[in-house]
Amino acid sequence: MIKLLVLSALLRSVRTGRVALTDTVAVTRWSDSTAPGDGRRFAPQPADADADFPPDGTLVSLHELATWMIARSSNEATNCIVDRIGVTTVHDEIRELDCSGTVFARKLGDVVAAAAGLENIVTPRDLTNTMRALTGSATARQMLAQQQFPHIVCELPNSVAWHGSKSGWIPGVLHDVAAAGVRGTGTVVLAVCTTASTSPKGTSSSAASLVCCSHVSNHVND
């Protein structure tokens, strides 16, 4: 879900003239780890890898990378964007959007940093803040509407129009944030963050504990 903030940071960099979405990057699956120590590099593990990511050295536009990051949740595309705009740019975006509960401590799939205890954190409130900001961008809305792994939208009645969403998951965790609404009544942004765990004895999923937090934001922009 940090990917929404990366997109917002990228689009702000475009608005300020630092980069253009047509700029190309020589992509690579490898990236410098944020773990303590110099020279550590990593690539996402097979379970976290983007099977459709092009070979290292392929020139890809920032627009394509951002679309892959949102539509199919590509970790490699996300890391390429972060390497291009800088980690501090994402940290600045967290402050700009008042995402006080969000922590961007490591890149995506950075098992070296994860082993050192560095974790990314998001909250439902911060996710709605970020999605609300992104719905003001036609470029962002186009990318969000290409989401391949929607969840909230599957529960919406036919009378509600889905404007786009972004989901995220790791074992035991599933989050989703979506923008939807009925024309003339504004847009509602809903974020749902869940965690589930089984007992050490491995109880069935039906007996698993479930923690769910949500946040709703409503604004008129039609």
Side-chain angles (χ1 to χ4, degrees):
M1 304 299 283
I2 287 291
K3 291 163 185 167
L4 282 179
L5 277 163
V6 174
L7 176 61
S8 190
L10 171 62
L11 294 179
R12 190 180 298 274
S13 296
V14 170
R15 292 195 298 273
T16 59
R18 286 187 56 208
V19 299
L21 289 177
T22 53
D23 290 350
T24 58
V25 174
V27 300
T28 176
R29 295 178 181 273
W30 293 87
S31 188
D32 293 330
S33 174
T34 56
D38 296 327
R40 300 193 186 189
R41 291 177 63 79
F42 74 94
Q45 298 295 302
D48 298 321
D50 179 357
D52 296 319
F53 199 72
D56 287 3
T58 304
L59 291 177
V60 178
S61 72
L62 287 174
H63 188 281
E64 287 178 288
L65 287 172
T67 300
W68 299 343
M69 173 177 69
I70 297 301
R72 65 180 191 238
S73 206
S74 172
N75 289 332
E76 292 89 338
T78 306
N79 292 337
C80 285
I81 293 172
V82 171
D83 287 341
R84 177 65 179 83
I85 65 176
V87 172
T88 57
T89 301
V90 183
H91 291 159
D92 290 344
E93 194 66 11
I94 291 173
R95 289 188 290 271
E96 285 284 345
L97 297 181
D98 189 28
C99 293
S100 56
T102 295
V103 176
F104 179 44
R106 61 176 176 83
K107 297 173 189 174
L108 284 299
D110 187 349
V111 294
V112 180
L118 300 178
E119 285 296 342
N120 297 329
I121 300 172
V122 297
T123 69
R125 172 191 172 275
D126 292 352
L127 290 173
T128 59
N129 278 359
T130 307
M131 179 64 86
R132 186 174 63 245
L134 287 172
T135 56
S137 163
T139 299
R141 291 197 304 272
Q142 182 185 49
M143 294 176 182
L144 291 163
Q146 297 181 56
Q147 174 59 238
Q148 296 179 16
F149 307 104
H151 296 282
I152 292 173
V153 63
C154 299
E155 306 301 326
L156 296 178
N158 293 334
S159 59
V160 177
W162 172 61
H163 302 319
S165 65
K166 178 69 185 77
S167 60
W169 62 92
I170 57 175
V173 174
L174 175 61
H175 301 335
D176 195 21
V177 57
V182 178
R183 178 164 292 278
T185 63
T187 298
V188 172
V189 177
L190 170 63
V192 178
C193 298
T194 67
T195 59
S197 62
T198 57
S199 72
K201 294 182 179 180
T203 58
S204 66
S205 58
S206 61
S209 62
L210 174 67
V211 177
C212 177
C213 300
S214 64
H215 189 269
V216 180
S217 173
N218 184 63
H219 63 109
V220 176
N221 67 350
D222 291 329

